[in-house]
């Protein structure tokens, strides 16, 4: 019972001083809000980038095109060579005919265009689709395959996707910088808010010390005040995150630019992100108030 | 049994001033002791060492079996719960009523609401302020404010009540009123009282034990003493 009583008192005191120092509290809350909105966008963007990078990497394939004059025996020779390469995980063989059928089934345009070509004038080639074990060595593996006799060209990855992932990575770094800067400003503002509360209650704190309040009892209201500031500051970011992401997801129908870049489904993703945002808000508030208490309440 | 034992205590402040030199004292449970001496003689310093506001630079201060000098900052509250403290300037919270001011001491240590009620009303009765429970400090006379402060100091039934010039701001009549309150607390509750003062009249009238300090030295410790220069 006693801890609950003390907690109740602390929360009541904390709420009172948030209201009493309203303008400074509002400054702290606004700063937390801005920080958390950026953090939220950062979190969602980087999780999405991570998600589709992984998806793309998972089915990153080396496509090996055989020369037009390659015979069935040549194909078997090529297969043997591919098998020897250690980084190759598995491969599948597709004849031009299979490819043609697959393409025709995917698109009406391809269907009519491809039907105009006879078997031997088709621009399509027999291919091997090779999956590698280690994605980082895909370039070396592709070069090795290219050197095999009767292999015409080798393709892997998608340049566009590659560039985009890199761009995201640099945007992420800048975001980190901004977020760290904003968190520092926020902590500074919270320290000042709590400092004001502490000085407004100097006399009370002195009496508390005299009558034997424990240090925790004295500090708790201020720590809770910081946490309340953090909590209040995370309301708008949570709303922005939840509704914003829903709208974003719907607007793009779950995909960005191409079928390749798939967005994370809003549920339960937005709830997890919201929890993370609230937690960060409260934590930043707590860190701010804890350092204020340490600095201005030498007990 | 001794409630307080002071052994070879020296207090030297950071600025180089030595406020207490090699002090040895034993104060019995239930006694009423005046600490007298000129301005700057070290009365407040002695009181402050008893509630661990200041630490002695040498020696031992033992209060109720607790070695105060060795007490860690974090544990000071344990000592404070065993004693009450009254100052010249009352130190009441102006926004709280008389009742709330006294209750504050118990709320801070997490006491239950109904127990708070019983103890607060008892303490206010003991200081003769039961009829002013809902007044604010600003509406009370100095003497009444000081009695509220005394009620707050004794509400948790401390073994020891420390008073640093509690009558310093009061006229002789009000001062005697405070002394009667303190005397009755000492007698009915058995609370040990140590009171620093330079009010000759009070000391002479009360006929209690007297510790006389001069420039940081103990010059006399008398039973039923009087104020003599
Ligand atoms: N915090 C402090 N820092 C430095 N010196 C101090 C401090 N407090 C007291 N002193 C010095 O210690 C000496 C004793 O002071 P103390 O306050 O104990 O005297 P006192 O007997 O209570 O005097 P008064 O009757 O005026 O209240 C004085 O010389 C004073 O200047
Ligand atoms: Mg003094």
């Amino acid at each position: 019972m006693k801890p609950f009583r003390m907690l109740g008192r602390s929360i009541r005191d904390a709420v009172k001083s948030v209201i009493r120092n309203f303008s400074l509290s509002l400054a702290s809350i606004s700063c937390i809000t801005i920080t958390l909105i950026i953090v939220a966008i950062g979190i969602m963007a980087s999780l999405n980038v991570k998600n589709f990078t992984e998806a793309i990497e998972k089915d990153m394939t080396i496509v090996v095109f055989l020369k037009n004059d390659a015979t069935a025996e040549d194909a078997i020779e090529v297969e043997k060579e591919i098998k020897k390469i250690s980084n190759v995980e598995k491969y599948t063989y597709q004849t031009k005919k299979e490819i043609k059928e697959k393409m025709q089934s995917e698109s009406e345009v391809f269907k009519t265009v491809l039907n105009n070509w006879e078997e031997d004038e088709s621009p399509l080639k027999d291919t091997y689709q090779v999956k590698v074990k280690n994605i980082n060595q895909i370039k070396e593996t592709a070069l090795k395959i290219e050197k095999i006799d009767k292999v015409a060209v080798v393709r892997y990855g998608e340049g566009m996707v590659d560039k985009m992932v890199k761009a995201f990575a640099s945007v992420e770094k800048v975001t980190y910088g901004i977020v760290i800067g904003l968190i520092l400003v926020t902590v500074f503002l919270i320290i000042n808010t709590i400092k004001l509360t502490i000085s407004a209650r100097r006399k009370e704190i002195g009496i508390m010390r005299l009558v034997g309040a424990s240090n925790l009892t004295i500090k708790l209201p201020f720590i809770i005040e910081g946490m309340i500031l953090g909590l209040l500051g995370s309301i708008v970011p949570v709303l922005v995150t939840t509704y914003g992401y829903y709208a974003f997801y719907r607007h793009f129908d779950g995909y960005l630019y191409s079928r390749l870049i798939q967005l994370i489904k809003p549920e339960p993703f937005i709830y997890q992100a919201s929890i993370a945002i609230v937690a960060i808000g409260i934590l930043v508030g707590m860190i701010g108030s804890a350092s204020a208490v340490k600095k201005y309440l030498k007990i | 049994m001794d409630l307080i034992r002071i052994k070879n205590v020296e207090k030297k402040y950071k600025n180089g001033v030595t406020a207490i030199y090699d002090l040895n004292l034993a104060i019995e449970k239930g006694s009423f002791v005046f600490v007298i001496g000129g301005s700057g003689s070290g009365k407040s310093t002695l009181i402050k060492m008893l509630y661990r506001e200041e630490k002695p630079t040498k020696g031992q201060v033992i209060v109720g079996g607790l070695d105060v000098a060795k007490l860690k900052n974090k544990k000071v509250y344990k000592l404070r719960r065993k004693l009450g403290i009254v100052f010249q300037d009352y130190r009441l919270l102006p926004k709280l009523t008389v009742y709330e001011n006294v209750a504050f001491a118990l709320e801070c240590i997490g006491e239950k609401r109904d127990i708070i009620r019983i103890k607060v009303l008892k303490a206010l009765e003991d200081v003769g302020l039961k009829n002013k429970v809902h007044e604010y400090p600003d509406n009370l006379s100095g003497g009444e404010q000081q009695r509220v402060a005394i009620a707050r100091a004794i509400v948790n039934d401390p073994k020891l009540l420390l008073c640093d010039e509690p009558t310093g701001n009061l006229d002789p009549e009000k001062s005697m009123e405070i002394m009667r309150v303190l005397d009755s607390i000492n007698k009915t509750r058995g609370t040990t009282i140590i009171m620093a003062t330079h009010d000759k009249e009070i000391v002479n009238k009360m006929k209690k034990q007297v510790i006389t300090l001069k420039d940081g030295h103990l010059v006399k410790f008398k039973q039923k003493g009087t104020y003599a220069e």
Side-chain angles (χ1 to χ4, degrees), chain A residues 143-159:
Chain A
L143 284 174
K144 270 187 200 162
I145 294 173
E146 203 162 25
K147 284 192 191 116
I148 299 169
D149 201 23
K150 293 288 175 193
V151 170
V153 261
V154 168
R155 289 266 160 73
Y156 65 92
E158 300 238 347

Side-chain angles (χ1 to χ4, degrees), chain B:
Chain B
M1 214 196 98
D2 297 332
L3 181 68
I4 296 171
R5 263 169 214 238
I6 294 175
K7 282 184 209 157
N8 306 108
V9 163
E10 180 203 89
K11 174 65 190 179
K12 191 173 179 179
Y13 284 107
K14 283 200 185 81
N15 62 1
V17 176
T18 306
I20 297 283
Y21 295 90
D22 193 33
L23 183 67
N24 288 284
L25 267 182
I27 293 171
E28 259 177 56
K29 220 179 221 173
S31 35
F32 194 133
V33 186
F34 285 115
V35 181
I36 62 171
S39 189
S41 58
K43 305 182 293 291
S44 296
T45 303
L46 172 59
I47 301 264
K48 281 178 184 165
M49 284 193 291
L50 292 174
Y51 67 92
R52 181 51 170 72
E53 178 72 14
E54 296 289 349
K55 270 185 185 177
T57 32
K58 276 187 200 152
Q60 269 189 328
V61 176
I62 293 169
V63 177
L66 216 65
D67 191 341
V68 176
K70 282 198 186 131
L71 205 59
K72 287 200 181 102
N73 273 336
K74 270 188 194 162
K75 304 280 178 193
V76 168
Y77 74 93
K78 292 193 172 170
L79 168 73
R80 301 277 171 93
R81 285 180 191 192
K82 289 184 183 167
L83 44 86
I85 312 163
V86 176
F87 299 94
Q88 182 171 355
D89 57 359
Y90 325 133
R91 303 202 187 172
L92 301 174
L93 294 169
K95 284 182 184 164
L96 302 185
T97 63
V98 166
Y99 179 89
E100 288 164 345
N101 262 289
V102 180
F104 184 76
L106 293 176
E107 279 172 10
C108 282
I109 60 174
E111 191 57 271
K112 276 192 204 118
R113 197 176 264 271
D114 39 347
I115 292 181
I116 290 179
R117 194 171 169 75
I118 295 165
K119 285 189 168 182
V120 170
L121 292 177
K122 174 78 172 65
L124 284 172
E125 195 179 344
D126 286 2
V127 299
L129 278 180
K130 230 184 162 177
N131 55 335
K132 300 265 165 112
V133 166
H134 298 297
E135 289 292 345
Y136 285 89
D138 287 346
N139 299 338
L140 301 179
S141 74
E144 286 167 335
Q145 288 186 48
Q146 189 61 295
R147 281 188 276 153
V148 177
I150 293 169
R152 184 181 64 197
I154 60 167
V155 73
N156 198 28
D157 299 313
K159 290 193 186 78
L160 176 63
L161 181 59
L162 301 172
C163 310
D164 194 352
E165 316 239 12
T167 60
N169 284 348
L170 303 174
D171 60 39
E173 200 186 315
K174 297 277 188 226
S175 297
M176 273 324 289
E177 220 174 87
I178 295 293
M179 291 321 296
R180 276 194 290 276
V181 167
L182 290 178
D183 197 32
S184 94
I185 288 167
N186 173 244
K187 287 192 172 120
T188 60
R189 293 190 177 224
T191 311
T192 308
I193 298 183
I194 298 179
M195 171 174 160
T197 184
H198 46 223
D199 190 326
K200 285 176 197 156
E201 212 174 312
I202 286 176
V203 176
N204 292 338
K205 263 189 195 158
M206 299 297 292
K207 305 257 187 307
K208 304 289 183 188
Q209 299 178 48
V210 176
I211 292 170
T212 310
L213 294 177
K214 191 170 184 238
D215 300 330
H217 296 277
L218 174 71
V219 291
K220 239 185 263 170
F221 188 5
K222 265 185 136 182
Q223 309 291 321
K224 302 216 165 133
T226 51
Y227 204 107
E229 290 296 330

Side-chain angles (χ1 to χ4, degrees), chain A residues 64-130:
Chain A
V64 183
F65 298 88
L66 299 187
K67 281 183 181 155
N68 259 347
D69 59 355
T71 60
E73 290 84 58
D74 291 334
I76 291 165
E77 278 304 308
V78 171
E79 189 176 329
K80 272 184 193 160
E81 291 296 317
I82 289 174
K83 223 182 204 168
K84 277 186 204 158
I85 298 168
S86 59
N87 195 28
V88 170
E89 186 170 4
K90 62 174 185 186
Y91 52 86
T92 48
Y93 181 64
Q94 275 185 317
T95 62
K96 357 179 161 177
K97 217 173 138 207
E98 282 165 351
I99 294 171
K100 184 175 158 185
E101 278 159 11
K102 195 179 168 219
M103 285 175 87
Q104 281 177 329
S105 75
E106 274 174 7
S107 150
E108 280 299 309
V109 184
F110 282 148
K111 191 168 186 170
T112 47
V113 172
L114 289 173
N115 268 337
N116 287 339
W117 278 311
E118 289 303 321
E119 181 75 14
D120 47 348
E121 55 180 16
S122 160
L124 298 173
K125 298 178 171 71
D126 291 341
T127 63
Y128 278 103
Q129 311 210 331
V130 179

Side-chain angles (χ1 to χ4, degrees), chain A residues 6-270:
Chain A
M6 299 313 282
L7 194 65
R9 245 179 77 82
S10 301
I11 292 172
R12 194 188 66 201
D13 286 358
V15 171
K16 265 192 208 158
S17 55
V18 168
I19 296 166
R20 193 161 44 206
N21 305 327
F22 188 70
S23 54
L24 203 53
S25 297
L26 197 66
S28 303
I29 292 169
S30 319
C31 203
I32 296 173
T33 301
I34 295 166
T35 310
L36 288 180
I37 287 176
I38 294 173
V39 169
I41 293 171
I43 289 176
M44 306 198 107
S46 66
L47 285 178
N48 267 296
V49 170
K50 192 164 163 260
N51 180 55
F52 70 67
T53 318
E54 273 171 14
I56 291 166
E57 279 183 350
K58 215 187 278 166
D59 50 48
M60 191 102 98
T61 312
I62 302 176
V63 185
V64 183
F65 298 88
L66 299 187
K67 281 183 181 155
N68 259 347
D69 59 355
T71 60
E73 290 84 58
D74 291 334
I76 291 165
E77 278 304 308
V78 171
E79 189 176 329
K80 272 184 193 160
E81 291 296 317
I82 289 174
K83 223 182 204 168
K84 277 186 204 158
I85 298 168
S86 59
N87 195 28
V88 170
E89 186 170 4
K90 62 174 185 186
Y91 52 86
T92 48
Y93 181 64
Q94 275 185 317
T95 62
K96 357 179 161 177
K97 217 173 138 207
E98 282 165 351
I99 294 171
K100 184 175 158 185
E101 278 159 11
K102 195 179 168 219
M103 285 175 87
Q104 281 177 329
S105 75
E106 274 174 7
S107 150
E108 280 299 309
V109 184
F110 282 148
K111 191 168 186 170
T112 47
V113 172
L114 289 173
N115 268 337
N116 287 339
W117 278 311
E118 289 303 321
E119 181 75 14
D120 47 348
E121 55 180 16
S122 160
L124 298 173
K125 298 178 171 71
D126 291 341
T127 63
Y128 278 103
Q129 311 210 331
V130 179
K131 292 220 165 167
V132 293
K133 288 174 192 156
N134 183 355
I135 202 82
N136 293 328
Q137 283 168 14
I138 194 163
K139 196 172 171 190
E140 288 82 351
T141 309
L143 284 174
K144 270 187 200 162
I145 294 173
E146 203 162 25
K147 284 192 191 116
I148 299 169
D149 201 23
K150 293 288 175 193
V151 170
V153 261
V154 168
R155 289 266 160 73
Y156 65 92
E158 300 238 347
M160 191 269 289
V161 170
D162 225 37
K163 271 182 203 151
M164 226 168 68
V165 171
K166 273 191 190 123
F168 272 129
S170 49
V171 168
E172 212 176 331
K173 267 183 205 139
V174 174
T175 314
Y176 278 141
I178 294 171
V179 164
I180 289 169
L182 275 168
I183 285 180
L184 290 180
V185 174
T186 310
V187 167
F188 174 78
L189 269 171
I190 292 171
I191 289 177
N192 277 286
T193 312
I194 304 294
K195 181 183 155 191
L196 202 76
T197 314
I198 290 174
S199 66
R201 294 178 57 188
R202 269 261 121 82
K203 195 171 179 191
E204 201 181 325
I205 294 165
I207 294 168
M208 287 174 92
R209 284 287 283 164
L210 282 180
V211 300
S214 68
N215 287 356
L216 184 69
T217 310
I218 296 173
K219 287 175 180 174
L220 203 59
F222 303 108
I223 308 261
I224 289 178
E225 186 178 341
M227 290 166 78
I228 289 175
L229 294 178
L231 185 69
L232 293 178
S234 62
I235 292 173
V236 173
V238 163
L239 294 179
V240 167
T241 309
T242 312
Y243 290 103
Y245 191 73
Y246 257 124
F248 183 77
Y249 189 85
R250 258 194 229 121
H251 183 259
F252 289 102
D253 212 15
Y255 296 96
L256 215 57
Y257 301 120
S258 89
R259 293 262 135 191
L260 221 48
I261 303 178
Q262 195 173 353
L263 297 172
I264 301 173
K265 287 207 174 64
E267 281 174 64
F269 177 58
I270 46 166

